[in-house]
Amino acid sequence: MNPRSEIHARLAASLKEARTAKGLSLDAVAKLSGVSRSMVSQIERGESSPTVATLWNLTQALQVDFAGLLEARETPRIEVIRAEAAPVIGGRGVGVSIRILSPAEAVGVHEVYDLTLAAGGKLISDPHGPGCREHLTLLDGAIEVTSGEESQQLSTGDTARYFADRPHRIEAVGGPARAILIVQNS
């Protein structure tokens, strides 16, 4: 590989790694940086050489070190996302906090979430795509899971597997609750 190709490859990998580590989509980075979505995508694929101004806008949007982008780094064998760095989804329910545990590239295929529900907290969802299933394991508390017309009560340690291609709901019963939710083929 020639030195120019190596630099492009490192730059592409570093920018994509920074974006996915923050749980941001290409659209989100485009909005934050003022760089078009297609240009961000081309840079991440190593198909385009960004200007210094474009690179500066991207590093500011991603909050990464401009100078460190081109340093050769060994890919870690164990990727760690610290608790405080995991992205959180808001506005999806009442009294619910949803932390995203799966990598951005798994969206729509195999998504993993950490759900924290306050007493009476509810996560009410519209149907996902055809054949979508959810697997919910209750770590603490009690919840009621509803999929379509059927409902089940879960206690700590229980797992529910259900179709999510119909209206469905997760609701804390009698106090706060915490669960791990896996969504497949949404």
Side-chain angles (χ1 to χ4, degrees):
M1 182 179 276
N2 72 44
R4 186 176 165 99
S5 296
E6 249 180 72
I7 290 170
H8 282 122
R10 266 191 261 148
L11 178 63
S14 293
L15 286 172
K16 184 172 185 174
E17 179 184 317
R19 180 179 62 80
T20 57
K22 294 194 180 308
L24 295 173
S25 67
L26 289 170
D27 289 324
V29 170
K31 286 178 187 165
L32 290 169
S33 67
V35 177
S36 74
R37 180 192 188 284
S38 61
M39 179 56 74
V40 174
S41 178
Q42 288 172 8
I43 293 167
E44 284 189 2
R45 291 192 314 265
E47 296 173 359
S48 180
S49 299
T51 64
V52 171
T54 298
L55 193 54
W56 179 258
N57 289 340
L58 289 171
T59 58
Q60 294 304 295
L62 294 168
Q63 300 173 339
V64 295
D65 177 35
F66 185 85
L69 282 177
L70 299 179
E71 292 175 358
R73 286 180 276 171
E74 199 174 298
T75 303
R77 292 190 182 131
I78 299 175
E79 179 182 5
V80 175
I81 308 301
R82 300 292 173 203
E84 64 277 0
V88 177
I89 301 173
R92 298 281 173 115
V94 177
V96 179
S97 171
I98 306 170
R99 276 189 338 128
I100 304 170
L101 302 179
S102 50
E105 61 269 16
V107 170
V109 179
H110 188 86
E111 303 165 25
V112 182
Y113 302 98
D114 177 358
L115 304 179
T116 303
L117 293 93
K122 297 177 188 176
L123 178 59
I124 301 170
S125 300
D126 290 327
H128 300 309
C132 177
R133 291 187 47 97
E134 291 186 354
H135 308 264
L136 180 79
T137 298
L138 188 59
L139 302 175
D140 192 35
I143 59 172
E144 181 176 85
V145 176
T146 302
S147 173
E149 300 297 318
E150 184 180 351
S151 293
Q152 290 287 331
Q153 294 271 335
L154 276 72
S155 299
T156 300
D158 291 346
T159 297
R161 295 185 180 96
Y162 51 92
F163 285 101
D165 57 0
R166 56 205 64 172
H168 53 288
R169 182 178 76 235
I170 301 167
E171 184 174 353
V173 177
R178 184 159 177 237
I180 296 295
L181 175 66
I182 298 171
V183 182
Q184 292 182 308
N185 303 316
S186 65

